[in-house]
Structures are given as structure tokens and as C-alpha cells.
């Protein structure tokens, strides 16, 4: 198992309490040339509206983020406005006219499909339900009146994606690569 996989497993067991803006991890400016993109991964904690950027086992930046629905449940199906939980990877990156930058996650992946089918078998979801897709990390939607203040105020507005301030998503975009692991938990 690659070293970054062990790092991710270890960090999933460590609570993130105690991090605040006084430690400078919200305001530090990243230098992409000084970061090894092969060792980067993201931990997104829905319960505290934060994204943690790690290089190997070192936390190098914290970002504020928002999601879809306020109840923070795991995504079950298309249209539920939930943000999926699990381990994903960045499958593509692009500049985007609506959200500044868009980094697509590989949702649904094999584990997402297994949870989806289990929910169907248990009768939680109908047999004709659609799992959905197109989940990613992006900026705010200025043309619709959604501004960075939504992120600061923890106003969930997406259809299931992870939204960041545009300046933050632009910075992150330059640091991560296709294949970067992304863990989303509650």
C-alpha cells in the first residue's frame, strides 16, 4: 500500500479538534512548486465545514467549505442534494465559467455503488432510483448571487458538491493533480 494511503488511514482516526484561525493554516499562501503533488490528499469534514490539505502527514492548509443539504447525510441518489461520503479521487480538472474551477470526483465509485445497491435491496431506495454523478469541488457561483460570504456563513447551497471561496479553489487547483485522493467524512 502506498505511503499516502497509510497516511490517510491514520488521519481518519485522529480528531481534528483544536485547529483554529490563530494557527495560520487558514491564511498561509501555498507555493505549488514547493509541494509534492504525489503526496497531497484532501480530508473534507462535513461536520466542521472544513477541508484539510495534507502533504504526506503534514497539514499544510485549512479551507472553509460548504455542501448541499444542511442535514449532512451521505448521498443516496440523484437529486437529494447530499454530499457523498467515502474515499474518492480527482478524476478531472477544468476552468469553469460558473464556478471558477471545477475538480470532478470519481463519484460514484465501487463503494458508492455497493452502498446504493444495498439501500435498494433494503427498500430504502426504489429499484428505479438513479445514483447521480457529477460531484466535484468548485468555487461559488457569482453570476447567481452566491458569494464567498455563503462559505463564511456556512450556507449550504450546492446540489451535492463541495464549494469553496473562489480564491481558495483557484489556489487549490494549482496544487492538486488528477488522481489526488479525497476523503469526505461527517
Amino acid at each position: 500500500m502506498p505511503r499516502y494511503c497509510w497516511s490517510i488511514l491514520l488521519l481518519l482516526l485522529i480528531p481534528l479538534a483544536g485547529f483554529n484561525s490563530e494557527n495560520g493554516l487558514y491564511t498561509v499562501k501555498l507555493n505549488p512548486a514547493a509541494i509534492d503533488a504525489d503526496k497531497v490528499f484532501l480530508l473534507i469534514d462535513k461536520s466542521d465545514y472544513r477541508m484539510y490539505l495534507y502533504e504526506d502527514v503534514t497539514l499544510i492548509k485549512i479551507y472553509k467549505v460548504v455542501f448541499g443539504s444542511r442535514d449532512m447525510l451521505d448521498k443516496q441518489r440523484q437529486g437529494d442534494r447530499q454530499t457523498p461520503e467515502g474515499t474518492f479521487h480527482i478524476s478531472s480538472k477544468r476552468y469553469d465559467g460558473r464556478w471558477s474551477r471545477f475538480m470532478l470526483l470519481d463519484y460514484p465509485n465501487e463503494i458508492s455503488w455497493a452502498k446504493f445497491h444495498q439501500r435498494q435491496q433494503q427498500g430504502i431506495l426504489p429499484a428505479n432510483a438513479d445514483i447521480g454523478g457529477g460531484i466535484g469541488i468548485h468555487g461559488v457561483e457569482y453570476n447567481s448571487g452566491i458569494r464567498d460570504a455563503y462559505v463564511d456563513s456556512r450556507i449550504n447551497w450546492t446540489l451535492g458538491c463541495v464549494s469553496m471561496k473562489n480564491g481558495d479553489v483557484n489556489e487549490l487547483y494549482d496544487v492538486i493533480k488528477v488522481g489526488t485522493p479525497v476523503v469526505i467524512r461527517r
Side-chain angles (χ1 to χ4, degrees):
M1 180 179 288
R3 183 173 177 189
Y4 75 85
C5 290
W6 287 110
S7 301
I8 291 172
L9 291 174
L10 176 65
L11 289 167
L12 289 175
L13 301 174
I14 299 171
L16 295 172
F19 291 112
N20 59 47
S21 60
E22 294 173 4
N23 66 14
L25 291 176
Y26 289 99
T27 58
V28 65
K29 295 297 179 198
L30 299 180
N31 176 3
I35 297 171
D36 184 348
D38 291 326
K39 294 181 179 180
V40 167
F41 70 93
L42 302 173
L43 173 61
I44 299 171
D45 195 317
K46 290 170 28 175
S47 65
D48 70 359
Y49 291 83
R50 299 292 186 260
M51 175 189 295
Y52 301 89
L53 172 64
Y54 285 89
E55 182 180 14
D56 198 14
V57 296
T58 303
L59 177 60
I60 58 175
K61 180 89 182 216
I62 302 173
Y63 295 103
K64 295 177 182 180
V65 294
V66 294
F67 310 101
S69 179
R70 187 118 183 113
D71 62 20
M72 300 290 190
L73 296 175
D74 189 13
K75 184 156 197 65
Q76 293 191 29
R77 63 188 288 182
Q78 175 72 30
D80 65 7
R81 295 192 61 226
Q82 303 297 340
T83 302
E85 297 169 4
T87 301
F88 305 98
H89 294 85
I90 301 294
S91 61
S92 66
K93 296 171 39 174
R94 71 173 188 261
Y95 290 86
D96 191 278
R98 280 174 73 185
W99 304 304
S100 184
R101 306 290 186 274
F102 188 87
M103 295 162 277
L104 182 68
L105 298 178
D106 63 347
Y107 172 86
N109 60 21
E110 187 176 323
I111 295 171
S112 305
W113 277 109
K115 289 191 292 186
F116 178 75
H117 291 306
Q118 181 180 22
R119 290 171 179 145
Q120 285 179 315
Q121 291 169 354
Q122 295 170 337
I124 297 169
L125 295 174
N128 65 348
D130 181 347
I131 193 170
I135 302 293
I137 301 168
H138 59 71
V140 294
E141 195 173 327
Y142 271 77
N143 292 340
S144 297
I146 299 169
R147 304 286 195 259
D148 289 347
Y150 276 58
V151 177
D152 285 329
S153 299
R154 295 183 173 185
I155 299 172
N156 292 331
W157 66 273
T158 75
L159 298 178
C161 291
V162 177
S163 176
M164 312 171 67
K165 296 176 183 180
N166 282 354
D168 289 345
V169 78
N170 295 348
E171 177 182 71
L172 181 66
Y173 187 90
D174 291 337
V175 172
I176 66 168
K177 65 178 194 166
V178 170
T180 296
V182 179
V183 176
I184 304 174
R185 70 178 189 189
R186 179 170 14 133

